[in-house]
Amino acid sequence: MSDERLIFVGMPAGNGNVNAGAAQGVFQLATQRYKAATATIAGSALGQTFNKLWASALGFPGASHFAMLHSDVIPSNWWVDTLIDELDRTGADVISAACRIKDNKGL
């Protein structure tokens, strides 16, 4: 680990279904450089689940950053490290990553 930052990684899981790749992206492959705490919350009111995860991160002892990955998004390995690198490089307070929306054919 490069430093002692603790990243709280949350996953809102709409109806409770979680893509296997998304689960791996949160619980195994989010970061190789930082400590991580993880949580997932199911619920159809996504705004409420986002807020609950954010509140959990704010109340988690030692958490310095909050990252969120939706349960139907499969990230690149070590995606949190990439985002933290960009935060550090730019001095930004917040960063987000866009992902494409697939159609019914998976495209």
Side-chain angles (χ1 to χ4, degrees):
M1 287 185 208
S2 64
D3 62 33
E4 292 300 313
R5 288 186 257 197
L6 173 61
I7 316 303
F8 187 96
V9 183
M11 177 182 281
N15 61 7
N17 293 329
V18 177
N19 178 288
Q24 188 176 34
V26 167
F27 299 110
Q28 294 176 325
L29 300 174
T31 179
Q32 61 182 351
R33 295 196 314 242
Y34 307 104
K35 296 179 193 175
T38 57
T40 185
I41 296 178
S44 59
L46 284 180
Q48 183 179 25
T49 60
F50 299 167
N51 289 342
K52 286 182 178 180
L53 287 167
W54 174 240
S56 295
L58 289 173
F60 197 88
S64 60
H65 293 73
F66 172 66
M68 182 169 56
L69 180 73
H70 290 249
S71 62
D72 60 348
V73 174
I74 302 170
S76 299
N77 292 355
W78 322 127
W79 61 278
V80 168
D81 298 348
T82 301
L83 293 174
I84 296 290
D85 287 348
E86 282 300 297
L87 281 174
D88 290 347
R89 184 183 68 77
T90 63
D93 294 321
V94 176
I95 191 167
S96 66
C99 63
R100 64 180 179 256
I101 298 174
K102 59 185 176 284
D103 64 14
N104 290 335
K105 297 177 185 176
L107 302 174

